[in-house]
């Protein structure tokens, strides 16, 4: 009995040390803007009368982004581009301009649908389990790259893409390999600004039920509370990070926004 008590005590001690380590090494940095500075930044951006498009507004990251875009109103014009018309109950969302396109024929039929935007957001995404290998590659790589090319040709200055932590085109895993290749090829298109977001496990209440993901999120919550940036990303924090990174007039060129920076940006958007 004493052996079992000793083992349990040792286990608790190890867990306590691990949690203390995580807490110390994965705290979110302080906000980069004070509340008054943030409000001024947003007001200044509004005065520029910028326009944006969102691709993938039916997915979880796209829905969260759209919610923040509508709430904060940084843009004078918002256009949703998707494969089907999106239905909304909210009156403000119903008023948004929507363009329905065939993603397989962007080059031939839909170049004009991407003309004249200042900012482009790509939130396209799927899983291999849902779309199969070929479908996953088509959506994550082919469609995303076609959207980026059309946006570049149409004059978009700042292109933003939701990717994932751990991507690597030399990875053994298809998911990380395809996303890594996509990230690189988008960065090579020559936009004035490219922002690639690499969140960790997204914490979100999906409409689409994924039992294993629900279990994983439940297990992650204690870790997320103690070490917010270690292994998870709340979906609203990602959306707020994208908005702040839009309005803060960052440096030109390609930018990889890792999970820690996503948390810092997202938690800085206090308006």
């Amino acid at each position: 009995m004493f052996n079992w008590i000793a083992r349990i005590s040792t286990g608790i001690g190890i867990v306590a040390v691990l949690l203390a380590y995580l807490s110390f090494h994965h705290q979110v940095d302080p906000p980069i803007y004070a509340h008054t500075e943030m409000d001024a930044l947003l007001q200044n951006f509004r005065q520029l009368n910028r326009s944006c498009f969102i691709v993938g507004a039916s997915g979880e990251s796209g829905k969260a982004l759209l919610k923040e875009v509508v709430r904060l109103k940084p843009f004078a014009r918002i256009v949703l581009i998707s494969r089907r018309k999106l239905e909304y109950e909210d009156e403000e969302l119903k008023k948004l301009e929507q363009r329905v396109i065939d993603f397989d024929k962007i080059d031939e039929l839909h170049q004009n649908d991407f003309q004249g935007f200042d900012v482009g957001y790509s939130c396209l995404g799927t899983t291999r389990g849902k779309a199969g290998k070929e479908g996953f590659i088509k959506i994550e790589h082919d469609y995303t790259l076609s959207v980026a090319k059309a946006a570049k040709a149409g004059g978009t200055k700042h292109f933003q893409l939701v990717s994932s932590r751990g991507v690597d085109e030399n990875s053994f895993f298809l998911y990380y390999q395809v996303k890594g290749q996509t990230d690189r090829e988008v960065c090579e298109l020559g936009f004035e600004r490219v922002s690639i977001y690499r969140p960790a496990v997204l914490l979100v209440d999906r409409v689409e039920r994924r039992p294993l993901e629900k279990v994983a999120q439940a297990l992650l919550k204690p870790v997320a509370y103690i070490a917010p940036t270690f292994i998870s990303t709340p979906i609203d924090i990602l959306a707020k990070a994208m908005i702040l990174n839009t309005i803060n007039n960052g440096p030109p060129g390609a930018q990889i926004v890792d999970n820690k920076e996503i948390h810092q940006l997202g938690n800085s958007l206090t308006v």
Side-chain angles (χ1 to χ4, degrees), residues 160-169 175-187 194-202 229-233 238 241-242 245 254-263 265:
Q160 305 193 47
L161 172 64
V162 177
S163 183
S164 174
R165 172 191 267 184
V167 302
D168 179 0
E169 60 183 311
Y175 180 86
Y176 298 117
Q177 180 188 116
V178 171
K179 281 184 170 290
Q181 180 183 352
T182 303
D183 289 2
R184 175 180 58 79
E185 292 180 352
V186 167
C187 289
V194 175
S195 298
I196 307 291
Y197 300 90
R198 292 182 174 172
V201 178
L202 292 175
T229 67
F230 178 57
I231 201 170
S232 61
T233 313
L238 172 61
M242 295 172 75
N245 197 36
Q255 171 196 27
I256 302 298
V257 187
D258 64 20
N259 194 45
K260 186 175 182 180
E261 189 173 0
I262 288 171
H263 277 262
L265 289 167

Side-chain angles (χ1 to χ4, degrees), residues 202-231:
L202 292 175
L203 298 181
V204 56
D205 292 325
R206 293 184 187 273
V207 174
E208 174 190 358
R209 290 187 176 274
R210 297 181 181 178
L212 290 178
E213 186 176 69
K214 289 285 186 183
V215 172
Q217 288 191 14
L219 294 174
L220 285 175
K221 282 184 179 179
V223 179
Y225 178 78
I226 294 170
T229 67
F230 178 57
I231 201 170

Side-chain angles (χ1 to χ4, degrees), residues 3 10-11 21 39 83 85 94 100 111 123 132 136-137 155 166-167 173 187 206 218 225 228-229 248:
N3 287 337
T10 301
Y21 173 83
D39 190 59
R83 62 182 178 84
K85 189 174 186 299
K94 286 181 179 179
V100 177
Q111 290 290 314
C123 302
F136 175 80
I137 294 172
V167 302
F173 297 100
C187 289
R206 293 184 187 273
Y225 178 78
T229 67
N248 69 359

Side-chain angles (χ1 to χ4, degrees), residues 30-38 41 244 247-249 265 268 270:
I32 55 179
Y33 296 105
H35 181 81
T36 53
E37 293 175 312
M38 177 57 60
L41 197 65
L244 178 50
I247 67 176
N248 69 359
N249 194 30
L265 289 167
S268 295
T270 56

Side-chain angles (χ1 to χ4, degrees), residues 25 27 81 90 150 152 192 214 221 232:
H25 288 279
Q27 292 299 318
I81 302 177
D90 183 88
K152 178 65 170 62
E192 288 185 20
K214 289 285 186 183
K221 282 184 179 179
S232 61

Side-chain angles (χ1 to χ4, degrees), residues 76-114:
R77 179 169 166 248
I78 305 163
V79 177
L80 308 182
I81 302 177
S82 57
R83 62 182 178 84
R84 58 177 174 81
K85 189 174 186 299
L86 303 177
E87 301 295 336
Y88 296 108
E89 294 182 2
D90 183 88
E91 291 299 322
E92 194 165 7
L93 293 177
K94 286 181 179 179
K95 296 175 183 177
L96 294 177
E97 180 182 348
Q98 296 196 42
R99 298 179 183 178
V100 177
I101 67 169
D102 182 344
F103 281 88
D104 289 309
K105 297 180 179 179
I106 291 178
D107 293 343
E108 305 123 67
L109 302 178
H110 301 294
Q111 290 290 314
N112 289 339
D113 288 308
F114 292 89

